[in-house]
């Protein structure tokens, strides 16, 4: 394991959260935060450096949390009817120690964030789905995603089932729930999506109307236990330990028109190096770990993902939704905290990266969602973003 942030040695007391009704405008680079409380906007001056939020190392943050009334992470952002909706994990405080299985990430419900514009007030909506309302689920509602089709909103979510493994934990499956509102409440189907496994669903709809689900994650996400197409309850807790072999790949499956089932058997999303060879398992700065996200721009498909234990967000490009995708570089350098899970959308003729760090708590399992502009060079490459500024 290569942990860039040994957080237990750096933890600080969690910052008290604002009242649940508080709304926050995100701080983009150079903008002062504005706090909305009780319907009144009060600008916080950026002219007072001594009051400016700083990391434990004294660095300035590129952006500020979207909301501070709850902890949020793994933001899947979408534009529906001109409005921005963010579907994050809802972090909760627990006493569990950090481990490779992710037991410290004990989330049990989802709450949707909504805003009319980037930089505007953000609303924390009521509970959209609770684990107790998913008949087959046991615990840990991790990173979700959403989609819209024909008047219905679909919420896709990974959660452990009730079949326990060697660690006394359920197997991750991917469920689907529906609503007529983008913020819910959502009603879950009685069973997980047939053929689904692991975590981090991300649904991409192509210009021709076909929708695809990308999913998977190693370590706590259990992808390494599916290497032969069948779940091994006694398999590795991390990866396959084959550094000189092609890395484990995230998965893709085209969805049926009902948006609730796979139209095909999931297949690998292969990431190639500059020589056209598969990225190897030992290449922890380039190999896939979790957090697939796909978008199309300039005739190219961008496959973006997290490297996990080296804490980068990466991107690779290809000519179709299935790939293969050729590795191109880092999107985001390591943030404060362990995980980097993201989404990318186009809004108001610009592109935006949603991500999370641990600014509010300095604890790995208590995160806060942020947003910053994502830029492209003339050749379609993405300049690397530093989550801190000098």
């Amino acid at each position: 394991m290569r942990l860039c942030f040994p957080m237990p040695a750096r933890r600080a007391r969690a910052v008290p959260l604002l009242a649940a009704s508080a709304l926050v405008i995100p701080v983009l680079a150079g903008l002062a935060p504005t706090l909305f409380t009780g319907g009144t906007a009060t600008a916080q001056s950026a002219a007072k450096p001594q009051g400016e939020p700083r990391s434990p190392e004294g660095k300035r943050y590129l952006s500020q949390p979207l909301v501070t009334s709850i902890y949020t992470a793994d933001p899947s952002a979408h534009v529906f009817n001109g409005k921005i909706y963010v579907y994050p994990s809802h972090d909760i405080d627990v006493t569990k120690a950090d481990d490779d299985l992710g037991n410290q990430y004990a989330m049990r419900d989802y709450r949707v964030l909504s805003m009319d514009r980037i930089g505007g007030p953000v609303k924390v909506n009521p509970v959209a789905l609770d684990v107790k309302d998913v008949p087959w689920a046991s615990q840990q509602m991790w990173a979700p995603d959403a989609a819209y089709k024909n008047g219905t909103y679909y919420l896709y979510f990974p959660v452990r089932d009730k079949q326990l493994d060697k660690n006394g934990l359920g197997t991750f499956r991917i469920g689907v729930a529906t609503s007529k509102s983008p913020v819910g409440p959502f009603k879950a189907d009685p069973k997980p999506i047939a053929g689904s496994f692991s975590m981090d669903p991300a649904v991409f709809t192509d210009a021709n109307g076909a929708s695809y689900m990308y999913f998977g994650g190693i370590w706590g996400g259990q992808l390494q236990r599916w290497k032969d197409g069948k779940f091994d309850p006694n398999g590795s807790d991390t990866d396959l330990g084959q550094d000189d072999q092609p890395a484990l790949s995230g998965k893709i499956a085209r969805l049926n028109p009902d948006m609730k089932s796979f139209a095909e058997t999931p297949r690998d999303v292969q990431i190639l190096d500059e020589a056209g060879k598969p990225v190897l398992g030992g290449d922890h700065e380039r190999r896939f770990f979790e957090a697939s996200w796909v978008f199309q721009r300039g005739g190219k498909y961008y496959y973006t993902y997290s490297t996990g234990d080296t804490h980068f967000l990466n991107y690779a490009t290809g000519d179709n939704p299935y790939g293969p995708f050729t590795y191109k570089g880092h999107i985001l350098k390591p943030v404060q905290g362990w995980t980097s899970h993201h989404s990318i959308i186009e809004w108001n003729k610009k592109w935006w990266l949603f991500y999370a760090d641990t600014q509010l708590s300095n604890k790995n399992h208590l995160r806060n969602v942020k947003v910053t502009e994502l830029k492209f060079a003339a050749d379609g490459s993405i300049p690397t973003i530093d989550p801190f500024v000098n």
Side-chain angles (χ1 to χ4, degrees):
M1 259 187 300
R2 289 180 282 173
L3 302 184
C4 296
F5 293 94
M7 293 297 293
R10 296 175 47 212
R11 286 181 179 170
R13 180 177 57 86
V15 177
L17 298 183
L18 300 178
S21 61
L23 303 176
V24 174
I25 284 184
V27 174
L28 306 182
L31 298 181
T34 304
L35 178 65
F36 280 73
T37 305
T40 303
T42 305
Q44 298 178 6
S45 174
K48 298 179 180 179
Q50 66 273 19
E52 187 176 39
R54 301 265 179 169
S55 74
E57 293 81 16
K59 298 178 180 179
R60 294 170 55 215
Y61 299 101
L62 175 66
S63 301
Q64 289 296 308
L66 285 180
V67 296
T68 58
S69 59
I70 61 173
Y71 290 112
T72 54
D74 312 321
S76 291
H78 291 272
V79 179
F80 294 135
N81 297 319
K83 191 170 182 177
I84 301 163
Y85 297 89
V86 183
Y87 298 82
S89 300
H90 176 198
D91 285 349
I92 59 174
D93 202 0
V94 293
T95 57
K96 299 178 185 292
D98 291 359
D99 62 30
D100 293 346
L101 300 174
N103 282 310
Q104 66 273 26
Y105 303 109
M107 303 85 91
R108 56 177 176 253
D109 63 25
Y110 297 112
R111 299 185 68 177
V112 183
L113 310 181
S114 57
M115 65 192 94
D116 292 325
R117 60 183 176 87
I118 302 288
V122 180
K123 181 179 180 180
V124 178
N125 290 281
V127 172
L129 181 67
D130 192 291
V131 69
K132 65 181 174 57
D133 297 320
V134 182
W136 54 271
S138 61
Q139 62 176 336
Q140 292 182 291
M141 303 192 85
W142 284 7
D145 193 23
Y148 171 81
K149 184 177 181 179
N150 297 335
T152 298
Y153 294 90
Y154 298 84
L155 180 68
Y156 302 95
F157 56 93
V159 63
R160 294 186 189 274
D161 66 14
K162 298 176 182 179
Q163 302 299 313
L164 304 185
D165 66 4
K166 64 178 182 178
N167 301 307
L169 298 170
T171 304
F172 267 110
R173 306 283 183 177
I174 297 172
V176 59
T178 56
S179 176
K180 292 301 181 181
S181 167
V183 301
F186 288 84
K187 180 175 177 55
D189 278 10
K191 295 182 179 180
I193 295 173
S196 71
F197 53 91
S198 195
M199 64 175 189
D200 290 358
V203 173
F204 166 74
T205 299
D206 209 350
N208 64 3
S211 293
Y212 305 85
M213 180 183 288
Y214 298 81
F215 63 95
I218 60 174
W219 291 30
Q222 302 176 329
L223 185 61
Q224 70 280 356
R225 297 194 187 179
W226 290 91
K227 64 182 181 66
D228 297 322
K230 185 178 180 180
F231 184 70
D232 179 2
N234 298 310
S236 170
D237 288 337
T238 54
D239 58 25
L240 298 181
Q242 299 173 345
D243 288 356
D244 60 347
Q245 298 298 311
L248 286 162
S249 297
K251 305 295 181 180
I252 178 176
R254 182 168 53 86
L255 292 171
N256 280 313
D258 66 2
M259 300 294 283
K260 291 184 172 187
S261 59
F262 291 161
E264 59 189 357
T265 300
R267 63 180 82 174
D268 287 345
V269 181
Q270 195 172 44
I271 302 171
L272 306 178
D273 63 18
E274 58 277 3
K277 303 293 185 181
V279 169
L280 300 180
D283 189 351
H284 286 212
E285 287 199 4
R286 297 197 291 182
R287 66 92 168 86
F288 171 81
F289 187 101
E290 62 184 4
S292 298
W293 185 267
V294 172
F295 64 93
Q296 187 181 25
R297 181 185 182 277
K300 288 287 185 182
Y301 293 85
Y302 288 72
Y303 179 68
T304 66
Y305 60 96
S306 170
T307 65
D309 58 345
T310 52
H311 317 290
F312 289 103
L313 290 181
N314 287 352
Y315 77 105
T317 60
D319 296 323
N320 67 81
Y322 291 102
F325 296 93
T326 300
Y327 174 83
K328 295 297 181 180
H330 301 316
I331 294 174
L332 183 69
K333 292 181 180 180
V335 299
Q336 177 182 315
W338 205 91
T339 61
S340 288
H341 190 128
H342 68 298
S343 59
I344 295 168
I345 62 169
E346 185 179 16
W347 181 83
N348 198 25
K349 299 181 180 180
K350 293 182 179 181
W351 289 85
W352 303 91
L353 171 68
F354 289 76
Y355 64 104
D357 65 13
T358 61
Q359 177 182 332
L360 293 179
S361 71
N362 200 30
K363 293 183 179 181
N364 286 331
H365 69 289
L366 297 177
R367 296 158 290 179
N368 42 262
V369 168
K370 298 184 171 186
V371 63
T372 191
E373 186 177 355
L374 183 77
K375 297 183 178 180
F376 295 84
D379 63 358
S381 61
I382 301 175
T384 304
I385 296 171
D386 191 331
F388 302 99
V389 292
N390 296 323

